[in-house]
């Protein structure tokens, strides 16, 4: 360009639109403040909230004043307060947040929030099956869960999977336990489990036993085999309902011949052996009216063969088009209430041919619609066709994000999000001539919906300033859709507001509606992208080249091969001399060569050995990883716990930020599955003070029940590692709830629990001796001392004082408000003042703590008496855990570095993030590790470089979650001096290949950028002299080059240097969230000199 310019944009604060100002002036009667009576009048007259009461208004005003002015008492609302109130979803949301439909009608009178293949994590062909999607669905209000039941490989138990695909199974027991645990967290109304049953009678009996034992009295079992009418959702509150149809699989095994409707015996095993959905998968162009013609005879024979205890559990009997589609829809033949399943294509056919019959069927029975079999990517269909014909269970793939799923979510936001929405009367009534609602008939306009889009706000808070446009604020516009009956559907769009984070449109749209009862309002905000034309245009086309061996690889192959072929002897020489695998044998090399020859379809191999192409593919294969996959856990695991770095999480139960995110057991499950060995739970009394919740206290985080967290820990504790799990408790409970916690822990974990009883440990046990054990670590709480009026100096000075982390939170908030430097604010003397009488407190606490709770504590925690240096003194007669914030650790390192190292040789040191990390960011863990801290607690949901360091550290030792500390951190010198990380050390080794570790070893190197290439070849050498390789991590980051902004991350990994294998290795890369890419790798060479 001939010139350049720099555009600067100010983010404007939102201001009330003219209509809001006019409404305020009108109802405040010209005054500066709006009183409670005036606000009530506005809500009743303007907002049409006729049921609003003075108490409701008082609550609104109190909350608004508290949020905006930190005071609950003001004379009224200012214009700014009023504008703030209008933006609050809790008080001024577009829909009623309470259950308000009549819930006493039969089930068929309701649309029911229904999932399809609820156990799948991704696509329908090869994704994993898991209980986690089921949990997520239930927590979002889904009421219909689908499970496909198949025998396991040994035919002695039951798995859940998508049959005849490559999906991996999950045990049925795990799914049922998760359903029991999470069924009613979102809604008390019944959960329907639809079973696709592919089981033999003996496994049906096993399923019956599982279901009965797990659900117990929660299970709804009708007295009669067939219901004349379904019960109501109100009558079925907190009940589990099973719905299935008799399977066919075991009929084939019994050689039962079933004739089809033409009187011929069906010989197709695919036809006999299939369920509705499998038939849909094979027949994408629906044949549903002849799909299940044999159901009558199947039912008759399965009644004799099926397990009777299984049959009795089925509350909603299912079937399909046994004598043709129209016959299945004629309810005057069979007066029993049933469920019919049709594919989306079967529904389209039924809706076009038998519209009235479909609507009549759904007035007495339940109709379930499922996606066609060709939706292998878990996409969804338009649910409106099903809803406008009265179909109650429109089953969706909840993992298939898209506009159709948005419609489903919009429908079930109504009626308080309880998962049941009352069908409109027009679908449930008949005319005097027995006619029903016809979606195709012309209808007059009933209502007109007027929608005014005033303005938008909040993007500046939820998105980075360069998210939409790297160079300017976004250009927003809003689309408004009506989705419903075809004649009601419409789409409108606002004008584009350029360069503004707070766009003002103030545009009104009108939508005439013929059937408003079935209409959805969809709103979509988009950013307008303007295109520019330039005088000179060109089009570049790039050919995707195949990966080719680098020059070094070619030269090595030539050296270790003969006549273009590398045989087993050559390969062994390469493994020993280049790769440093000194124990490699000819047999192992021959095994590798034989493995290559199994891939004949690649046309890359010779009979006597392997070619250059095959050798290159071997180097890029998983078998050639930088960390040896064969050695597994190889550290000595028989030393005390204090001799190991332990994979530790902070506030493990939080799903997001530290202030307002949800508490849940799902992050705990993920952490344990990722190998984390230390789980933190903050314990608080629930609102009724009769049970225990887990939440981040004194914040807006939502609670999760402690028992749910404990059960999840029990179930997943040892899925990734068999070494002990430590549960650190932040305890804010009175004595009676401590006793309840002790009972929960004892009953949940049983023999898994390690409890030293009254014995005082002088040395921690080893990870080896604690395999598959749960360990409790906490310190005596102070909260309940107030309730018991124990006169403690701390309680007098800090009434209601909580744990060290809570105090750090309050302290940092105060310092932040005062704009003080945090190093000055986090004064050690101030900290120690809280602990001057810790010993005296502990003595009084122990006298009141319930003994059953006290006996569970295997690792006692606490700072002890005195100041920071006193906390770090080693007591030879006992061991303990000390917790310090990252800020206190920094100060401690500056003053008492070697004391920390000495302390951690016998005791445990836990470090946690400073309280101002509200976004769940993390600190650099290396300072703590180099001083011997075992439990360096990070926020596992705070994806950043610090967490990548953590991932890299605990990839060592087979990923078991325990990494042996280097000897120099455990041994004292001849004068009993400990390792000093600040000391100037000689170079021990040089790694030829940035690096992160002891400060002297921290450095960064960068390759040149390779432009326009999917397979970049750099061929560059870097050298890193290392003084303490035992604490060094190799961090690798690949970015896409962009001259104007920081390039996008293309992959990253972090590896423990002390476990790197010498030679040419394939380094797999991971996403920002630590998820491993299937194919992305770097070919690197490592040498230590």
């Amino acid at each position: 360009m001939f010139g350049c310019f720099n555009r600067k944009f100010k983010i404007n604060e939102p201001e009330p639109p003219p209509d809001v100002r006019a409404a305020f002036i009108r109802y405040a009667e010209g005054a500066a403040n709006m009183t409670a009576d005036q606000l009530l009048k506005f809500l009743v007259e303007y907002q049409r909230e006729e049921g609003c009461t003075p108490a409701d208004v008082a609550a609104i005003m109190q909350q608004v004043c508290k949020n905006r002015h930190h005071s609950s008492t003001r004379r009224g609302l200012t214009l700014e307060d009023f504008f703030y109130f209008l933006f609050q979803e809790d008080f001024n949301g577009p829909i009623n947040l309470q259950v308000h439909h009549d819930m006493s009608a039969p089930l068929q009178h309701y649309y029911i929030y229904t999932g399809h293949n609820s156990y799948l994590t991704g696509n329908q062909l090869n994704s994993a099956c898991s209980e986690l999607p089921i949990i997520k669905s239930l927590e979002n209000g889904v009421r219909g869960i689908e499970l496909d039941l198949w025998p396991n490989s040994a035919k002695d138990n039951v798995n859940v999977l998508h049959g005849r695909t490559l999906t991996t199974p999950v045990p049925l027991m795990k799914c049922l336990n998760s359903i029991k645990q999470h069924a009613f967290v979102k809604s008390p109304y019944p959960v329907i489990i639809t079973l696709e049953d592919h089981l033999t009678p003996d496994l049906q009996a096993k399923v019956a036993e599982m279901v009965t034992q797990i659900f117990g009295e929660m299970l709804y079992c009708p007295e009669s085999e067939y219901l004349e009418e379904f019960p109501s959702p109100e009558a079925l509150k907190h009940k589990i309902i099973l719905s299935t149809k008799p399977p066919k699989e075991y009929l084939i095994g019994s050689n039962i011949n079933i004739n089809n409707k033409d009187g011929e015996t069906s010989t197709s095993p695919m036809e006999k052996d299939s369920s509705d959905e499998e038939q849909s998968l094979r027949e994408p162009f629906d044949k549903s009216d002849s799909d299940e013609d044999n159901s009558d005879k199947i039912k008759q024979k399965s009644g004799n063969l099926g397990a009777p205890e299984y049959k009795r559990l089925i509350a909603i009997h299912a079937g399909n088009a046994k004598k043709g589609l129209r016959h299945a829809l004629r309810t005057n033949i069979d007066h029993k209430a049933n469920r019919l399943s049709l594919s989306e294509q079967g529904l389209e056919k039924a809706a076009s041919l038998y519209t009235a019959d479909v609507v009549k069927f759904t007035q007495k029975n339940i109709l379930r619609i499922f996606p066609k079999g060709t939706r292998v990517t878990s996409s969804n269909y338009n649910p409106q066709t099903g809803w406008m014909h009265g179909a109650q269970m429109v089953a969706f793939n909840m993992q298939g994000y898209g506009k159709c799923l948005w419609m489903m979510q919009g429908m079930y936001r109504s009626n308080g999000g309880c998962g049941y929405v009352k069908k409109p009367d027009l679908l449930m009534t008949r005319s005097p001539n027995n006619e029903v609602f016809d979606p195709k008939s012309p209808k007059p306009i009933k209502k007109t919906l007027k929608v005014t889009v005033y303005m938008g706000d909040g993007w500046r808070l939820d998105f980075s300033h360069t998210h939409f446009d790297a160079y300017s604020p976004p250009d927003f516009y809003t689309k408004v859709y009506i989705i419903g009956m075809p004649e009601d559907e419409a789409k409108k769009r606002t004008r584009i507001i350029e360069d503004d984070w707070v766009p003002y449109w103030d545009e009104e749209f009108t939508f005439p509606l013929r059937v408003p009862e079935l209409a959805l309002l969809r709103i979509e905000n988009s950013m307008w992208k303007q295109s520019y034309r330039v005088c000179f245009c060109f089009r570049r086309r790039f050919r995707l080249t195949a990966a080719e061996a680098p020059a070094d690889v070619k030269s090595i192959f030539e050296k270790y091969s003969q006549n273009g072929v590398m045989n087993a002897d050559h390969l062994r020489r390469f493994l020993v001399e280049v790769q440093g695998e000194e124990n490699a044998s000819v047999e192992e090399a021959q095994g590798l060569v034989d493995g290559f020859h199994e891939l004949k379809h690649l046309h890359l191999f010779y009979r006597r050995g392997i070619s250059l192409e095959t050798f290159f593919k071997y180097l890029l294969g998983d078998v050639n990883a930088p960390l040896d996959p064969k050695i597994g856990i190889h550290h000595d695991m028989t030393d005390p716990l204090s001799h190991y770095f332990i994979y530790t999480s902070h506030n493990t139960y939080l799903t997001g930020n530290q202030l307002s995110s949800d508490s849940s057991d799902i992050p705990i499950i993920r952490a344990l599955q990722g190998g984390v060995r230390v789980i933190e739970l903050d314990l608080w009394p629930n609102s009724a003070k009769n049970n225990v919740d887990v939440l981040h206290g004194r914040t807006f985080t939502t609670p999760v029940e402690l028992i749910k967290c404990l059960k999840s820990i029990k179930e997943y504790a040892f899925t990734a590692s068999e070494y002990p799990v430590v549960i650190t408790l932040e305890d804010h409970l009175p004595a009676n709830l401590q006793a309840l916690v002790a009972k929960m822990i004892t009953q949940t974990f049983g023999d898994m629990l390690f409890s030293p009883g009254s014995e005082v440990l002088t040395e921690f046990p080893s990870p080896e001796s604690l395999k598959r054990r749960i360990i409790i670590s906490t310190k005596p709480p102070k909260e309940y001392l107030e309730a018991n009026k124990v006169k403690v100096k701390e309680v007098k000075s800090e009434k209601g004082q909580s744990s060290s982390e809570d105090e750090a939170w309050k302290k940092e908030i105060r310092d932040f408000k005062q704009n003080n430097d945090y190093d000055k604010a986090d004064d050690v003397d101030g900290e120690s003042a809280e602990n001057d009488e810790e010993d005296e407190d502990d003595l009084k606490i122990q006298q009141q703590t319930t003994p059953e709770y006290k006996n569970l504590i295997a690792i006692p925690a606490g700072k002890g008496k005195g100041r920071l240096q006193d906390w770090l003194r080693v007591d030879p007669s006992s061991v303990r855990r000390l917790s310090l914030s990252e800020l206190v650790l920094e100060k401690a390192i500056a003053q008492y570095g070697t004391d920390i190292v000495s302390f951690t040789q016998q005791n445990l040191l836990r470090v946690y993030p400073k309280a101002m990390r509200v976004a769940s960011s993390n600190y650099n863990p290396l300072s703590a590790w180099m001083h011997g801290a075992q439990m360096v607690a990070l926020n596992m949901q705070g994806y950043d470089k610090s967490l990548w360091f953590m991932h890299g550290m605990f990839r060592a030792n087979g990923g078991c979650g325990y990494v042996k500390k280097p000897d120099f951190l455990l041994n004292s010198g001849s004068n009993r001096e400990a390792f000093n990380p600040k000391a100037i050390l000689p170079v021990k080794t040089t790694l030829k290949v940035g690096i992160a570790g002891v400060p002297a070893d921290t450095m960064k190197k960068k390759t040149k950028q390779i432009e326009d290439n999917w397979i970049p070849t750099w061929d560059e050498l870097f050298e890193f002299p290392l003084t303490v390789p035992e604490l060094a991590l190799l961090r690798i980051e690949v970015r896409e080059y962009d001259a104007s902004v920081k390039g996008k991350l293309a992959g990253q990994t972090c590896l423990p240097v002390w476990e790197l294998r010498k030679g040419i290795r394939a380094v797999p890369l991971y996403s920002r969230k630590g998820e491993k890419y299937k194919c992305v790798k770097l070919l690197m060479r490592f040498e230590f000199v």
Side-chain angles (χ1 to χ4, degrees), residues 14 180 267 294 529 727 848 879 940 1051:
K180 178 183 179 181
T267 58
N294 307 313
K529 289 191 176 180
I727 305 176
Q848 300 189 36
V879 289
M940 293 298 151

Side-chain angles (χ1 to χ4, degrees), residues 575-635:
L575 293 175
V576 172
E577 296 175 11
V578 178
Q579 302 293 80
E581 299 180 26
E582 297 175 359
N583 297 322
S585 64
V586 176
E587 290 75 17
E588 288 176 329
Q590 187 63 54
L592 288 172
V593 172
D594 293 342
F596 302 144
H597 282 294
E598 292 177 6
L599 306 174
K600 294 177 182 177
H601 63 280
L602 294 176
H603 305 295
L604 298 172
F605 309 104
Y606 302 95
R607 290 184 179 180
R608 293 177 291 119
I610 59 176
S611 67
L612 170 62
E613 292 85 353
T614 308
F615 178 65
F616 183 42
K617 286 189 177 292
Y618 153 70
L619 292 177
L620 282 171
D622 292 337
V623 73
N624 190 41
L627 306 182
D628 193 342
K630 293 184 291 186
I631 61 173
I633 298 164
H634 55 283
H635 294 183

Side-chain angles (χ1 to χ4, degrees), residues 883-915:
S883 284
L884 298 177
S885 75
E886 60 175 290
L887 297 179
V888 178
L889 178 70
E890 286 177 15
K891 188 149 195 168
I893 287 171
Q895 296 181 14
Y896 315 112
T898 55
D899 291 337
I900 298 173
V901 176
S902 297
F903 177 84
T904 58
Q905 290 175 352
Q906 180 178 328
N907 301 279
L908 295 176
L909 176 59
R910 175 178 170 271
V911 182
Y912 57 88
K914 63 183 180 182

Side-chain angles (χ1 to χ4, degrees), residues 835-844 846 864-865:
N835 297 277
D836 284 340
E837 300 187 15
E838 190 87 29
D839 288 344
E840 181 184 346
D841 292 349
D842 288 348
L843 179 62
K844 295 182 180 181
Q846 287 165 10
K865 190 176 180 179

Side-chain angles (χ1 to χ4, degrees), residues 962-981:
Y962 285 80
V963 174
K964 188 81 155 55
K965 291 159 67 173
D967 290 340
F968 59 76
L969 283 174
L970 299 170
N971 301 329
S972 299
S974 56
N975 298 322
R976 301 187 62 81
E977 72 277 8
F979 170 73
N980 184 2

Side-chain angles (χ1 to χ4, degrees), residues 18 34 68 92 139 246 336 411 417 451 498-499 515 617 704 834 917 958 995 1013 1027:
M34 180 183 285
R68 280 185 50 78
N92 192 44
E139 289 182 338
K336 297 179 176 65
M411 166 67 92
V451 177
E498 295 187 10
D499 299 333
V515 186
K617 286 189 177 292
V704 59
E834 299 164 19
R917 294 189 181 277
I995 275 282
N1013 201 329
T1027 60

Side-chain angles (χ1 to χ4, degrees), residues 472-577:
S472 68
D475 308 328
F476 285 125
Y477 63 92
T478 298
K479 298 181 200 172
V480 185
Y481 302 78
I482 288 291
I483 303 164
M485 302 297 293
E487 58 267 40
D488 285 343
E489 293 194 350
K491 173 182 173 182
K492 305 286 178 75
R493 197 187 88 167
T494 66
R495 68 187 185 279
I496 298 156
I497 304 296
E498 295 187 10
D499 299 333
D500 203 332
W501 280 99
V502 187
Y504 285 80
W505 293 285
D506 201 5
E507 295 185 47
E508 182 180 288
F509 304 115
T510 301
F511 299 98
L513 301 175
R514 293 154 185 83
V515 186
E517 301 94 332
L518 289 174
L520 292 173
L521 176 70
R522 187 164 79 83
I523 303 166
E524 186 179 310
N525 274 89
S526 300
M527 196 197 86
W528 180 59
K529 289 191 176 180
Q530 188 174 10
S531 8
Y532 298 90
R533 292 188 178 180
V534 295
C535 298
F536 299 96
C537 301
F538 61 94
R539 188 175 187 184
R540 304 177 70 184
R541 293 188 177 182
F542 300 96
R543 183 168 60 91
L544 189 60
T545 58
E548 193 174 299
D552 273 7
V553 173
K554 289 179 179 178
S555 64
I556 287 173
F557 181 81
E558 289 173 6
K559 179 180 178 181
Y560 291 94
S561 65
Q562 189 172 4
N563 299 324
V565 176
M566 180 184 282
N567 61 27
D569 288 330
H570 298 147
L571 181 58
R572 179 192 167 278
R573 278 184 53 222
F574 164 76
L575 293 175
V576 172
E577 296 175 11

